[in-house]
């Protein structure tokens, strides 16, 4: 049993020297995900599609080329060229009012920039999810490792209880308690193996392929004192989803300008060549004539003006909505930063508490209980209680380490990037 206490001291000791944090293995998974994950690729494709649509809107409509047959005798049906008196060849082109297409194109390019920022938000969220899953895996691995150590110690206790019972120095209840504790540890091991498989599957899904991660003894989380106000200021500059809403606000403004230009007329030009037969079919001669037509779209007609103004109203309303979305997102970001800072601080304090107070006290309690039991001053139930308390203290320490990495990942996401640096400390 005292070997277990020695292992405990070795397992929780760590130094906060020059370390890489988050862990390199987790960062390699992040890099793999950013290269292969289909959700991120889809987000980038959405941005490319929006920019392509912007180029589409910047181009004029295709011209129309027509051939019209006039005054064909019924006897020539269905051949329009037989005894045809007139054939008109025409080309028409709609010329939009200057600035209208560029305004429509600008709106789509704003949308493309917003989609690019959304892709950045997807990448940042992938990083957070991978670091959180890695923290879960680290916790499960440590619980399995600690459980195996505990199981070995329980097996030694079981042998000692059997020897004492057979020698008339123990009781059957002591033996049953140890056997019950061993069965519970075996059940916990099965559950942890299932959790480990599920966590590895989640990591493989996030990383975009199969993963193989060596066991890391200690994540060595650094102690920092983050400043919520400075992180909030950084978040306003760096959060890609906030940037996306800013672009969407610009997109709504550009769309409103484009809708304003719907009130200006478009011009349509049409040129035609008329190939005509003069006289009757026998002695007539064919002559050619040309003509030009110009027409203007009149959006200010009473029956169309309401629709034009409604489109402008819709665009302006969407612009104001984007501004309110941005204000709401800022409030949400501030809350996310506050929550992540609180969780990070809590995890750091819990690590210190478990390492410096709870675990040493549990070690002393276990030693005292063992000595009292061996001296006949207490029953075996006290030993088991002290053993469970020590096991829980060890697990709680490593749970705090995992929670620290999760809170770190959340704080990186909330602030839009790395949180390492003197500028972030009070």
């Amino acid at each position: 049993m005292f070997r277990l206490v020695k292992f405990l001291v070795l397992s929780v000791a760590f130094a906060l020297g020059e370390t890489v944090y988050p862990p390199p293995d987790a960062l390699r998974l992040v890099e793999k995900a950013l290269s292969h994950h289909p959700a991120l690729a889809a987000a980038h494709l959405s941005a490319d599609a929006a920019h392509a649509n912007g180029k589409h809107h910047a181009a004029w409509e295709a011209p129309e080329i027509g051939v019209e047959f006039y005054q064909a005798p019924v006897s020539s049906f269905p051949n329009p060229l037989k005894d045809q008196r007139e054939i008109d060849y025409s080309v028409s082109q709609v010329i939009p009012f200057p600035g209208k297409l560029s305004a429509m194109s600008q709106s789509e390019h704003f949308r493309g920039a917003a989609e690019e920022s959304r892709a950045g938000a997807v990448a940042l969220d992938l990083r957070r999810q991978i670091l959180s899953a890695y923290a879960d895996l680290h916790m499960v691995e440590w619980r399995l490792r600690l459980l195996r150590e505990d199981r070995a110690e329980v097996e030694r206790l079981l042998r000692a209880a059997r020897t004492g019972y057979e020698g008339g120095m123990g009781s059957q209840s002591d033996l049953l308690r140890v056997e019950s504790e061993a069965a519970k540890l075996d059940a916990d091991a099965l559950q942890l193996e299932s959790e480990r498989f599920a966590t590895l599957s989640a990591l493989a899904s996030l990383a975009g392929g199969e993963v193989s991660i060596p066991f890391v003894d200690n994540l060595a989380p650094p102690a920092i004192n983050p400043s919520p106000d400075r992180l909030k200021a950084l978040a306003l500059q760096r959060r890609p989803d906030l940037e996306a809403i800013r672009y969407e606000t610009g997109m709504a403004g550009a769309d409103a300008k484009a809708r304003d230009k719907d009130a200006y007329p478009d011009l349509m030009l049409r040129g035609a060549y008329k190939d005509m037969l003069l006289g009757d079919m026998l002695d007539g001669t064919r002559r050619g004539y040309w003509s030009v037509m110009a027409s203007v779209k009149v959006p200010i007609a009473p029956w169309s003006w309401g629709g034009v103004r409604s489109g402008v109203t819709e665009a302006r309303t969407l612009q104001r909505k984007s501004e309110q979305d941005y204000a709401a997102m800022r409030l949400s970001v501030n809350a996310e930063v506050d929550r992540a800072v609180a969780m990070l601080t809590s995890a750091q304090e819990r690590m210190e508490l478990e390492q410096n107070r709870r675990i040493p006290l549990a070690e002393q309690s276990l030693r005292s209980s063992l000595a009292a039991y061996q001296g006949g001053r207490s029953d075996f139930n006290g030993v088991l209680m002290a053993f469970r308390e020590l096991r829980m203290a060890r697990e709680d320490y490593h749970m705090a380490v995992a929670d620290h990495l999760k809170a770190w990942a959340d704080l990186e996401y909330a602030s839009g990037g790395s949180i390492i640096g003197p500028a972030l400390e009070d």
Side-chain angles (χ1 to χ4, degrees), residues 94-110:
V94 175
I95 302 175
F97 192 87
K100 183 179 291 188
L101 292 184
S102 63
M104 296 172 61
S105 174
Q106 187 181 26
S107 173
E108 286 301 307
H109 284 303
F110 269 119

Side-chain angles (χ1 to χ4, degrees), residues 359-403:
I359 291 175
L361 289 174
E363 292 173 4
Q364 295 176 14
S365 176
L366 181 57
R367 293 190 185 101
S368 176
S369 297
L370 279 172
Y373 175 72
Q374 292 169 352
R377 297 189 303 274
S378 68
D379 59 13
F380 196 74
N381 189 52
V383 176
L384 282 181
M385 293 294 292
F387 173 77
R388 290 170 183 170
E389 173 61 23
L390 181 57
R391 177 157 57 96
M392 289 176 59
R394 292 189 301 167
E395 288 190 357
D396 287 346
Y397 168 77
H398 289 288
M399 184 177 293
V401 172
D403 288 344

Side-chain angles (χ1 to χ4, degrees), residues 32 62 83 96 112 129 155 176 198 282 287 328 393-394:
K32 182 178 179 181
D83 300 332
Q129 292 184 63
E155 190 64 33
L176 292 176
L282 297 177
R287 296 285 298 273
R394 292 189 301 167

Side-chain angles (χ1 to χ4, degrees), residues 41-60:
H44 285 300
L45 289 173
S46 294
D48 294 342
H51 285 300
N53 197 31
K55 294 179 181 179
H56 166 73
H57 282 298
W60 284 10

Side-chain angles (χ1 to χ4, degrees), residues 124 227-243 246 326 329-330 332-338 410-419 424:
L124 199 60
S227 168
D229 291 337
R230 293 172 186 172
L231 288 170
K232 290 173 186 177
L234 278 176
L236 294 181
Q237 301 172 15
R238 304 189 305 184
R239 277 284 290 259
D241 47 359
L242 278 174
E243 184 180 47
R246 288 195 291 267
Y326 181 77
M329 178 60 76
R330 285 188 58 169
S332 177
V333 167
N334 289 339
E336 288 177 19
V337 170
D338 286 334
D410 287 342
L411 191 53
E412 282 189 337
Y413 178 84
S415 61
S418 174
I419 58 175
L424 303 184

